[in-house]
Amino acid sequence: MGKTWLMPGVALIAALAGCAGMGAERDMQGAAGSEILRVPLTATRYNAGRIGSATLVSHGGETTVTLQLSSVPSYASRPIHLYTYIHGGRCDAMSERPAYSLTDHVLASPLGRQGAIAAFRGPVTLSNVAPVSLQKLRETPHAINVLTGPADGDRSIFCGNIVG
């Protein structure tokens, strides 16, 4: 068994590095009019040195939010539980209470192995659906906040601003 599992992780890190430091950008309109928005996620002090992004895809009155993260803090329990919230405001001035809790699915999967439980250290992904249109999220400032699980202190490890 060689190290073939490394290649998807290397590709993810390279792709995410290209997004680091950039603002959110609109990628495309799908054939059915679905809009796609990529939001770079900035690591917090609890997760320094890591990179991530969120891809938001509109589906009428809902928005699928898919996280792709290079890694999580070493202190995070395995399997990896991540809690995603959308707050009003910006990362540096978010509302105290989230506008939308994206917690239907909290077990992260290893990148490239959707549905598997992430029990290792490496790139992970997680998807949830927000009960709000992407257009509405873009009308006023909102931020995506990713936290560790309660067992790991509910610490914010990534944040990204959804911009119009």
Side-chain angles (χ1 to χ4, degrees), residues 44 88 143:
T44 68

Side-chain angles (χ1 to χ4, degrees), residues 55-139:
T55 303
L56 285 67
V57 180
S58 67
H59 302 285
E62 297 181 327
T63 302
T64 299
V65 178
T66 302
L67 306 176
Q68 292 183 324
L69 311 174
S70 65
S71 188
V72 296
S74 59
Y75 63 78
S77 303
R78 302 309 194 252
I80 299 167
H81 290 74
L82 298 174
Y83 293 79
T84 309
Y85 300 94
I86 297 177
H87 291 261
R90 300 274 186 229
C91 289
D92 58 355
M94 285 187 287
S95 60
E96 186 174 324
R97 294 178 49 93
Y100 305 97
S101 297
L102 309 180
T103 56
D104 286 343
H105 305 283
V106 297
L107 287 174
S109 297
L111 189 68
R113 295 187 52 215
Q114 207 63 356
I117 296 174
F120 70 100
R121 301 185 198 291
V124 296
T125 187
L126 179 67
S127 289
N128 275 292
V129 176
V132 60
S133 70
L134 181 54
Q135 179 181 350
K136 184 169 181 174
L137 288 174
R138 294 173 63 150
E139 287 174 357

